[in-house]
Amino acid sequence: MSENLFLTPGLARADHYAELYPQLEALTTTESDLTANLANTAAALRQAFGFFWVGFYLVKADELVLGPFQGPIACTRIRRGRGVCGTSWAEARTVLVPDVEAFPGHIACSSDSKSEIVVPVFKDGAVVAVLDVDSDQLDDFDAADQAGLERLMQLAAAWF
Ligand code: SME
């Protein structure tokens, strides 16, 4: 594909994810570099949905380390089981947080972040990274985001 995303204005989120998927699939299956694919995915999600922060943390030894992202600077290392990202890694599942202040152990990289969803990336059954998406609005994520992002992260396994 070209380096432009095709995004129809005014669609429901589920339809935006459906529109985005084949474009990211085309973009990333023709590129073998992990960083390039993570970077374009973060940019595409921010461009499509206007999220406050979108990025990846990569599993490196016993920590998550900040990878490609879009948004304000963020904390660079997260221990397994810590915060929303570390919980998603430790429990190998998507964690959806409607109100970050109500999540025990949430790591506040920015006080503007109000709700969050973290989706693990699996390679050969193990978590190799997590996708973290933050919103500056409370309760901004639902089952449509979870389904759309989990489907995208199934693509991501091939990049590792
Ligand atoms: N809030 C995350 C930390 C990462 S930043 O939001 C970018 C957490 O609790 O794991």
Side-chain angles (χ1 to χ4, degrees), residues 12-36:
R13 280 226 188 133
D15 297 325
H16 264 316
Y17 284 113
E19 192 174 64
L20 202 53
Y21 183 90
Q23 298 182 72
L24 274 174
E25 184 179 37
L27 192 60
T28 59
T29 52
T30 53
E31 173 53 64
S32 61
D33 186 83
L34 173 63
T35 305

Side-chain angles (χ1 to χ4, degrees), residues 17 45 117 119 131 133 144-153:
Y17 284 113
L45 286 169
I117 184 170
V119 179
L131 168 69
V133 185
D145 296 285
Q146 180 167 349
L149 294 171
E150 286 180 350
R151 185 166 177 241
L152 276 176
M153 290 308 102

Side-chain angles (χ1 to χ4, degrees), residues 121-129 156-160:
V121 181
F122 295 95
K123 177 81 178 179
D124 301 328
V127 177
V128 290
W159 310 339
F160 284 80

Side-chain angles (χ1 to χ4, degrees), residues 53 57 66 74-75 78 82-86 100 103 105-110 113 116 118 132 134:
W53 196 93
Y57 283 91
L66 184 63
C75 44
I78 298 174
R82 294 291 180 85
V84 187
C85 293
V100 295
F103 186 92
H106 168 256
I107 300 164
C109 293
S110 165
S113 177
E116 180 165 358
V118 178
D132 181 15
D134 288 30

Side-chain angles (χ1 to χ4, degrees), residues 58-65 77-80 89 127-129:
L58 307 184
V59 174
K60 296 194 176 174
D62 61 347
E63 289 179 313
L64 291 170
V65 181
R77 289 172 189 268
I78 298 174
R79 303 300 297 263
R80 196 164 192 270
W89 175 22
V127 177
V128 290

